[in-house]
Amino acid sequence: MAVEKKNIFLKNTKNALEYSSPPRMGSSNFPVRPNVRTHGEFIQQMIKGSYERSTDQKRAAAIKYKNGTYLEFSSESGYDLALKSLENIQQGIRILNVREDSENTITKATVYVPGGKEKYFMEKAEEYIEKTTKKGKPRHNDLISSIEDISLALLDAFWIGENTDMPTETAYWCEVWLRFDADKSGEKTEKNKEAAIKNLTDCCKSLNIDLNDSQIVFPERIVKLIYLNCNIKCNTLCETTI
């Protein structure tokens, strides 16, 4: 026999609180560089040094690296980074990750520069030094003036989320997001997807990293699971597959 029960109605459960959205920097909140030439040459030196370290690293490693370089761009504390200008899809230059430091004052962007496009940002900096717009501002002023530091991207530059969640001594299952190029031809898209999976599989095998067979496929992205902790193998994995 069913027992009838009265409906429960909640009363006086809401509580009104004042809310204001957190302050956000304006889209043109870039620092003013008092000496254009000095800053432009400094940017060029950092780019050159990062490429040299990348080349040395690849020569020393007994593994095939992806044909390209991963750079980490940082803003000046309290200012924006010109993110839109850091990416050029037609040139194959892509932003892979954007995050803020622990104090939320510095923006960092991980950017992939394919092989053969190493001069892209160097030329931007050169035009910043030597050329001006019709309004008298340096060319690419927002891009170059917004950059405070450039370095070779390390493991934390690829991590999405809190750095404290990264597995250190103990290994955990982690997601790896692989990018593959989609094409109007379904056959070519499928080949690109298979190539991305094979690249990860071969890399994990050479580094003795456990790779789960399951996967989730999105347009231009594949999500796989790997079991590891954050050591040199993990950093090598990022630079060879992502």
Side-chain angles (χ1 to χ4, degrees), residues 59-76:
R59 287 175 178 171
I63 188 170
K64 182 181 178 181
Y65 273 75
K66 195 170 184 178
N67 183 26
T69 305
Y70 297 86
L71 299 177
E72 184 178 60
F73 293 81
S74 300
S75 71
E76 184 175 339

Side-chain angles (χ1 to χ4, degrees), residues 173-216:
W173 285 104
C174 301
E175 291 182 357
V176 174
W177 288 64
L178 306 174
R179 176 177 56 83
F180 66 95
D181 292 329
D183 189 81
K184 293 181 180 179
S185 167
E187 182 179 351
K188 188 173 182 180
T189 297
E190 189 64 24
K191 287 183 178 179
N192 291 340
K193 183 177 71 175
E194 292 176 356
I197 296 174
K198 184 179 185 304
N199 187 26
L200 175 66
T201 303
D202 293 345
C203 185
C204 286
K205 184 177 180 180
S206 65
L207 295 172
N208 295 319
I209 295 175
D210 290 333
L211 174 66
N212 193 286
D213 292 334
S214 61
Q215 63 190 33
I216 301 175

